[in-house]
Amino acid sequence: GRELGLAMKYLYVTAPYSDLVNYSFEEIQDFASHGLFLYNTLERVKELPEEMFLNYILDHRVNEEEVLPCRSFFWNELKDRIEGKNAKDAAIEVNYWCAEEATYHSGDDRTLPALTVYRRGYGRCGEESVFLVNALRSVGIPARQVYVPRWSHCDDNHAWVELWCDGKWYFTGACEPLMILNKGWFTNASSRAMMIHSRVFDTKIPEGEVIGTDGMVTMLNELKRYAVTKEITVTVKDAQGLPTEGAEVSFEVLNYSEYAPIAEKKTDSKGTARLTTGLGSLHISARMCS
């Protein structure tokens, strides 16, 4: 009872405010109960760092999708297929299952929840990755969605999945299984990206470079795992040449005939903002907050 109470407290504290009114106690409890089941059943889950368990297994949310309880259902579908497998092999097997259940279909509506992708049998890349993340979390493998807000070499964007095992993050295409991790059709494209980010809902931010926030969501820079990077420093000064603190600096790439932001930062007391990015071209703008 106490463990369930703590799990529910975590989910309610870190959830977007809209979740508190849109979803019932029982719906959120389904995620908490299954997370505790995994913690008490699987030794590899119990051995995880606390923040890894809380953010990437217990958490009910991946992106902006509707929250539909699905974890215990996915677990029952997958438990026999991953029996006896280590985390890495289990993750590959889970992705094969996801590929059997869903295929790619483009769309521009709100991101479908994992259970709807399963029922319909299709989804765009963001929805396929929400599906795979939930399936991985359902079997006790920490997972998150990563996202290229805009490609820097062509018009469009893309999302895929990172999973944690053997003490580090690996990546894979969602519903695009290969026999090994850290490989996908987008591997070369991602090596040319200027930004790849993950999202975290916790108020305690995991270690990493913050590149922006959206309400209760914090975006973390994951580019170093994919591309050759460099750190750039931007200094903002006022008309008198003095450093400007608190200016919003927008780092943008040309995509779909517009400058689209890939990261947004505020200047420090020295008027500087730093970003780790790729070796391509950036359009940078700065403005004072009103």
Side-chain angles (χ1 to χ4, degrees):
R2 182 175 179 273
E3 282 186 335
L4 182 59
L6 288 172
M8 289 295 290
K9 188 174 182 179
Y10 174 81
L11 293 180
Y12 270 101
V13 166
T14 59
Y17 295 140
S18 57
D19 286 3
L20 308 185
V21 294
N22 287 334
Y23 305 112
S24 68
F25 180 88
E26 289 75 21
E27 287 173 310
I28 302 298
Q29 185 180 4
D30 190 83
F31 289 88
S33 297
H34 188 68
L36 290 177
F37 163 76
L38 294 170
Y39 184 86
N40 293 320
T41 303
L42 301 178
E43 198 62 35
R44 57 179 166 80
V45 174
K46 191 169 290 188
E47 292 172 353
L48 289 170
E50 184 180 78
E51 68 274 9
M52 196 62 60
F53 171 75
L54 293 174
N55 283 301
Y56 305 118
I57 289 183
L58 181 67
D59 203 336
H60 62 286
R61 189 160 278 297
V62 178
N63 199 313
E64 59 174 14
E65 74 281 2
E66 179 188 358
V67 175
L68 292 180
C70 61
R71 302 272 174 84
S72 55
F73 174 72
F74 289 167
W75 163 261
N76 286 322
E77 294 291 305
L78 289 162
K79 61 183 179 181
D80 292 337
R81 292 183 64 149
I82 65 165
E83 181 71 31
K85 288 182 166 60
N86 61 35
K88 191 181 293 186
D89 290 340
I92 292 170
E93 186 63 34
V94 169
N95 204 5
Y96 273 105
W97 176 78
C98 287
E100 293 166 15
E101 301 296 339
T103 189
Y104 179 81
H105 189 287
S106 63
D108 290 320
D109 295 330
R110 180 187 178 185
T111 302
L112 291 173
L115 195 60
T116 303
V117 175
Y118 172 84
R119 288 169 175 166
R120 292 188 181 183
Y122 64 82
R124 53 181 164 80
C125 61
E127 294 164 336
E128 287 182 315
S129 53
V130 166
F131 179 33
L132 177 56
V133 168
N134 273 284
L136 289 168
R137 290 182 183 180
S138 78
V139 299
I141 298 173
R144 64 188 180 190
Q145 183 187 62
V146 291
Y147 183 56
V148 175
R150 298 290 179 102
W151 289 120
S152 53
H153 67 284
C154 69
D155 293 337
D156 216 342
N157 54 20
H158 192 50
W160 59 90
V161 171
E162 289 188 342
L163 57 105
W164 175 273
C165 58
D166 302 337
K168 61 182 179 180
W169 289 104
Y170 293 83
F171 69 85
T172 185
C175 305
E176 300 167 343
L178 293 170
M179 296 178 69
I180 59 172
L181 298 173
N182 285 355
K183 194 169 180 64
W185 68 261
F186 53 86
T187 305
N188 288 336
S190 64
S191 72
R192 300 165 68 186
M194 296 296 283
M195 178 53 60
I196 296 169
H197 73 236
S198 66
R199 293 169 174 241
V200 64
F201 291 84
D202 203 333
T203 52
K204 179 186 176 185
I205 309 304
E207 188 176 329
E209 180 185 357
V210 174
I211 57 155
T213 59
D214 183 8
M216 294 182 71
V217 179
T218 301
M219 273 76 79
L220 298 177
N221 191 344
E222 310 296 347
L223 186 63
K224 285 183 178 179
R225 199 169 294 111
Y226 299 91
V228 177
T229 61
K230 66 176 293 184
E231 184 181 77
I232 61 172
T233 302
V234 176
T235 302
V236 180
K237 298 180 180 180
D238 62 17
Q240 286 72 44
L242 299 173
T244 302
E245 182 177 2
E248 286 189 348
V249 180
S250 180
F251 301 86
E252 303 158 349
V253 297
L254 184 62
N255 192 291
Y256 282 122
S257 301
E258 66 177 0
Y259 288 119
I262 58 167
E264 294 175 315
K265 293 199 168 190
K266 288 187 177 181
T267 54
D268 59 20
S269 59
K270 297 179 180 179
T272 62
R274 293 178 175 82
L275 178 72
T276 303
T277 186
L279 304 184
S281 301
L282 279 180
H283 180 266
I284 300 173
S285 61
R287 67 184 180 91
M288 284 303 298
C289 306
S290 57

